[in-house]
Amino acid sequence: MLDTLTTVSGFLLLATIFYWFHFLDKNKNDERGDHIVGKAAKISFSSLFVIMGIITVFYTTEAITADNLFNYMLIGLSVGTLIHTVSLFLYDRKYQ
């Protein structure tokens, strides 16, 4: 089950990174695009620190084994980039 979730998270990570590059390419010389990326980064990176902190707490309390730590970190990173991509999409619609 965890391996399947990790595989899906890997594909989700790639898709969100491609959308992020597409957004940056579309708004190269635009101050509005820089503003949107900044606002989305504030939300996503703060949530990514919270997600990684939760994973660290579970790892230190030995609820997550060392063998599964990479899988959980990849899932957390995928959730963080998904939050960033959704924020980009929503702010892009809001500030049109």
Side-chain angles (χ1 to χ4, degrees):
M1 176 68 184
L2 184 62
D3 291 333
T4 306
L5 190 58
T6 304
T7 304
V8 170
S9 294
F11 288 123
L12 179 67
L13 180 65
L14 288 175
T16 55
I17 288 173
F18 282 134
Y19 180 78
W20 185 30
F21 288 149
H22 169 71
F23 182 83
L24 291 176
D25 188 46
K26 186 175 76 170
N27 297 308
K28 279 185 208 174
N29 301 322
D30 188 9
E31 289 181 13
R32 181 186 70 88
D34 292 339
H35 180 71
I36 290 171
V37 170
K39 288 186 84 141
K42 287 178 189 176
I43 293 170
S44 65
F45 290 130
S46 61
S47 64
L48 188 62
F49 286 129
V50 170
I51 292 167
M52 291 301 165
I54 290 170
I55 291 171
T56 304
V57 167
F58 281 123
Y59 179 69
T60 56
T61 60
E62 297 178 0
I64 296 175
T65 63
D67 297 333
N68 293 331
L69 182 63
F70 176 75
N71 294 336
Y72 285 108
M73 295 283 260
L74 182 65
I75 292 168
L77 183 64
S78 297
V79 170
T81 57
L82 179 66
I83 291 170
H84 185 71
T85 302
V86 169
S87 299
L88 284 176
F89 182 75
L90 292 176
Y91 283 135
D92 190 28
R93 295 228 179 230
K94 181 178 179 181
Y95 294 121
Q96 275 186 344

